Amino acid sequence: NAGVTQTPKFQVLKTGQSMTLQCAQDMNHEYMSWYRQDPGMGLRLIHYSVGAGITDQGEVPNGYNVSRSTTEDFPLRLLSAAPSQTSVYFCASSRPGHGGIGELFFGEGSRLTVL
Amino acid sequence: TQLLEQSPQFLSIQEGENLTVYCNSSSVFSSLQWYRQEPGEGPVLLVTVVTGGEVKKLKRLTFQFGDARKDSSLHITAAQPGDTGLYLCAGDGKEEYGNKLVFGAGTILRVKS
């Protein structure tokens, strides 16, 4: 059982380039989300989705796009990379529990460097 | 400003010592989660506390949810080098925050042998 799979694990971009971080989960979770993790700032929510065809903005959505055409996949697109987007990106999925989002299952992360 | 304030930010202790990590907020959460993250990996859930005043134990780790469901603590007894990692608390409160988990900034724990 793969859980949440993210690709690529490492990527170096030049300023202005675009790219897509892929995320797939095989647990049939409706909820999926993307976070970025920077030193001293914990995890900050970029975008999330509560089901196929539904996406919404999180705390830091600028410069990123998402789509959710299937339950399994939730790609994150960087439109025009900037050095401020250098970070570690995590995709996570969950099934609702305890009256909220429930436990998040995270991928292993994608380390992005923008030069 | 973090909705969830974690303290301390960094803790370096000797093997066998005890420690407590705090997670505080002015907001009420329906539940609070604690995650542990090791270098190069994603966070992994340790526990979810749901009821005000609840105490949960996971081997040498004790988690407590405040009576008012605004704060939580993680106590580790006789810390081991294997406890080293980043500890994150996350508040889950669908009514107030919509479909979002609110994370604290994390506590980096280093246990020296």
Side-chain angles (χ1 to χ4, degrees), chain A residues 28-68:
Chain A
N28 202 32
H29 287 166
E30 291 295 327
Y31 184 89
M32 295 187 74
S33 54
W34 276 102
Y35 289 87
R36 59 176 291 173
Q37 186 173 38
D38 302 290
M41 302 192 74
L43 289 161
R44 291 185 291 168
L45 182 64
I46 304 171
H47 286 285
Y48 65 96
S49 169
V50 298
I54 306 168
T55 63
D56 208 343
Q57 295 181 350
E59 183 185 358
V60 287
N62 292 338
Y64 308 95
N65 272 357
V66 292
S67 60
R68 185 92 181 271

Side-chain angles (χ1 to χ4, degrees), chain B residues 23-45:
Chain B
C23 182
N24 296 307
S25 175
S26 58
S27 302
V28 176
F29 293 100
S30 59
S31 67
L32 202 136
Q33 302 171 4
W34 284 93
Y35 291 82
R36 179 165 165 261
Q37 183 180 16
E38 297 192 34
E41 299 182 6
V44 176
L45 183 73

